[in-house]
Amino acid sequence: PFRCDALQVVRQAAAVTRTVPAAGLAEMCAAAGVGQRWLHKCFIDVLGVSPVRFVRLARLTRAREQLLACDSSPALIKTLSLSLGYRLSGRFAADYRALFGENPSQTLQRRAVS
């Protein structure tokens, strides 16, 4: 029963991150109807990552998809990072580089060349 409940909590919380790009823990908890401790326990049990890590990965994956889908100017990177809930574009770039091995601008340049 715990596994089914945990899976339902994760599904409900994850659904919010798809509809609200800058959703945080408060929105995820509200959508799932649970507190932060229970949300954390469910994410660790079901996915093996914390909800904060899940949100970060979801945001960065969405950013990569958007960068690869367009051929806009580098100004898009700052706008994109802000729309995904990053207050500091430097933090966004560092997280992006750590996950994908290249800067967001390199991804955008690669898309423009293709």
Side-chain angles (χ1 to χ4, degrees):
F2 170 75
R3 183 80 175 156
C4 293
D5 292 341
L7 183 58
Q8 185 64 21
V9 166
V10 169
R11 283 183 179 162
Q12 290 171 339
V16 171
T17 65
R18 287 188 294 277
T19 57
V20 181
L25 285 179
E27 291 86 0
M28 292 171 72
C29 288
V34 298
Q36 285 188 6
R37 284 185 181 176
W38 187 252
L39 184 73
H40 187 273
K41 183 168 180 44
C42 291
F43 266 80
I44 293 296
D45 181 57
V46 174
L47 298 177
V49 297
S50 72
V52 172
R53 178 90 173 131
F54 174 83
V55 167
R56 184 178 300 126
L57 293 172
R59 288 176 181 175
L60 292 170
T61 300
R62 185 174 295 118
R64 186 168 184 83
E65 290 169 356
Q66 290 181 13
L67 288 172
L68 289 171
C70 70
D71 42 23
S72 278
S73 69
L76 168 76
I77 296 170
K78 183 167 180 94
T79 305
L80 180 60
S81 68
L82 290 172
S83 73
L84 294 174
Y86 278 89
R87 294 181 184 164
L88 302 170
S89 55
R91 170 61 20 213
F92 167 72
D95 287 351
Y96 188 94
R97 185 174 43 254
L99 184 61
F100 298 113
E102 65 183 9
N103 289 322
S105 58
Q106 291 171 309
T107 302
L108 192 60
Q109 288 172 354
R110 190 162 36 90
R111 169 63 177 120
V113 171
S114 300

